[in-house]
Amino acid sequence: MPTSDEAVAAAIFTIDEFVKGVDDSIVDEVVEYYWFKDRAKKFRFNAGGTGVSWNVRLDRGTVEGFNRAKRLSVVRKNRVQQARLTNRGYGIGELIHTTDLWENRSPEKITDFLDELLTGMTSDMVDALGTGIYDDGASGNHDNLGFQGADAALIASGNYAGLSTTTFTGWASNVGTGDPYDAFSDDPLPALDKAIADCRAGLKGGRSRTSPDVGFMTHDNWNVCLQTFMRRQRLAQDAKAVNAGWNDNFVYRGVTFFPSDYVSNGSLGVNGLYLFNSKWVDFRFPSPKLINQFRYDEGVPKALYIIMIVYGLMRFRQPRTCGKFTIT
């Protein structure tokens, strides 16, 4: 029969072994994280500081015709503004009480007990992270402390990262509704064409010469697209995504579209279509990995606490190159 110390040691060893694969489980479960981490390579770890700031060019200078006899109109413009985001995140805690160690005395039973506990914690964290892609960071799903995700950045009016879309109209994202989006269920092509075209154009600070490269919608809406395309021609898939296990995808005009379990958590619900330009979206974490696990003992009653934390931020460096659209 193991002593209490031996049981605690076995529990800690089991926890250490389990959490080694947590990051991989995130990639396997949430298509958005798969895309940005494995395909777009937009995860940065060990990024110190309490947040991030970056310069944004939001206005254009006046370009005139020129000859040596003409005086140029020199007008000072504050074209570059600074955007700021602070680290936020998600956490989940559980405890292993002394009585749990008494009731699971052998290392094998402790391992089974912890495996079930940690699997449940990880599953809950994965679910929160998938939802967090679309959090607005203010009235969102996680006590107003989650990521300032897509619904925080992709706005036609309001503030994101400390900058106002009213003051700086080039900071606004593309938010679309109505025709042709109202005809999506009859023919999704005009809606996809319009959404992609809107995300190509940046009216202030120069025009975007790159298109969005990834889009997410609900499974039902994705099926509308797939069935429409199948009636017309064979549809291309993204082979790399297929090889990674995400065989539910199609490529249209250079954009890889995926069905997502989490789009409906966004502000547009089941009728949401989100387009991202991966060039301008990234994730920064001061931590060494995505999910970090901590533990400590409580004195009375004696227990081993397990805390899983994700801490960092999701940043849209140029919101105007992305967009969200209501499709029906």
Side-chain angles (χ1 to χ4, degrees):
M1 181 185 303
T3 66
S4 179
D5 288 343
E6 289 173 335
V8 171
I12 291 173
F13 176 78
T14 302
I15 295 169
D16 288 338
E17 289 298 305
F18 183 89
V19 298
K20 289 180 179 178
V22 167
D23 282 3
D24 291 337
S25 71
I26 294 295
V27 174
D28 291 341
E29 293 291 334
V30 181
V31 66
E32 290 90 341
Y33 276 93
Y34 153 74
W35 178 269
F36 286 111
K37 185 178 180 183
D38 280 17
R39 290 297 304 277
K41 307 296 183 184
K42 289 296 182 177
F43 274 35
R44 180 183 174 187
F45 297 101
N46 294 309
T50 59
V52 63
S53 62
W54 69 101
N55 290 329
V56 186
R57 189 167 182 261
L58 292 176
D59 207 348
R60 304 177 67 182
T62 301
V63 179
E64 305 176 40
F66 172 76
N67 65 40
R68 286 175 291 179
K70 180 178 180 297
R71 176 177 293 179
L72 292 176
S73 302
V74 180
V75 179
R76 167 67 179 171
K77 288 191 175 182
N78 294 321
R79 293 193 292 259
V80 177
Q81 302 296 324
Q82 191 172 67
R84 293 185 178 87
L85 288 176
T86 57
N87 292 328
R88 305 169 77 165
Y90 308 91
I92 183 171
E94 273 287 0
L95 65 83
I96 307 166
H97 196 268
T98 301
T99 55
D100 296 318
L101 300 179
W102 290 346
E103 294 168 350
N104 298 275
R105 292 181 176 236
S106 70
E108 293 79 12
K109 286 188 175 181
I110 292 172
T111 299
D112 291 341
F113 169 76
L114 283 172
D115 183 72
E116 182 176 351
L117 177 66
L118 293 167
T119 298
M121 292 179 68
T122 304
S123 177
D124 293 340
M125 181 64 86
V126 169
D127 188 62
L129 285 168
T131 302
I133 294 286
Y134 303 99
D135 262 353
D136 65 10
S139 58
N141 303 288
H142 299 103
D143 301 327
N144 305 338
L145 294 173
F147 287 160
Q148 297 178 66
D151 279 339
L154 308 186
I155 54 176
S157 62
N159 297 283
Y160 171 64
L163 297 178
S164 166
T165 59
T166 301
T167 304
F168 307 105
T169 56
W171 191 233
S173 177
N174 303 286
V175 180
T177 187
D179 187 42
Y181 304 109
D182 287 345
F184 175 85
S185 59
D186 295 325
D187 184 359
L189 288 182
L192 298 184
D193 289 337
K194 181 65 163 58
I196 293 170
D198 284 350
C199 292
R200 285 180 61 90
L203 297 178
K204 299 292 184 181
R207 296 185 180 275
S208 171
R209 287 172 171 79
T210 57
S211 291
D213 55 353
V214 66
F216 302 100
M217 62 183 77
T218 62
H219 286 266
D220 287 345
N221 287 331
W222 188 85
N223 286 332
V224 169
C225 295
L226 187 65
Q227 292 162 7
T228 300
F229 289 134
M230 288 177 66
R231 291 195 297 267
R232 301 182 179 186
Q233 62 182 5
R234 296 185 65 183
L235 189 67
Q237 283 189 319
D238 186 327
K240 292 182 179 179
V242 170
N243 290 339
W246 291 102
N247 58 330
D248 284 347
N249 72 77
F250 64 83
V251 180
Y252 180 68
R253 295 187 62 182
V255 182
T256 304
F257 288 90
F258 292 96
S260 169
D261 294 318
Y262 293 99
V263 166
S264 58
N265 294 115
S267 61
L268 304 181
V270 297
N271 293 322
L273 165 65
Y274 287 79
L275 290 183
F276 299 138
N277 186 327
S278 297
K279 177 181 178 182
W280 299 108
V281 182
D282 57 21
F283 293 75
R284 294 169 55 91
F285 306 95
S287 55
K289 56 185 178 179
L290 183 59
I291 292 185
N292 294 271
Q293 167 266 327
F294 305 89
R295 58 179 178 266
Y296 60 89
D297 290 321
E298 183 190 28
V300 181
K302 187 174 182 181
L304 182 69
Y305 276 74
I306 307 171
I307 302 174
M308 290 185 179
I309 295 175
V310 173
Y311 191 61
L313 55 89
M314 178 183 185
R315 173 174 62 160
F316 290 78
R317 291 168 55 201
Q318 296 280 6
R320 65 176 179 269
T321 63
C322 305
K324 64 180 182 181
F325 308 90
T326 301
I327 50 179
T328 56

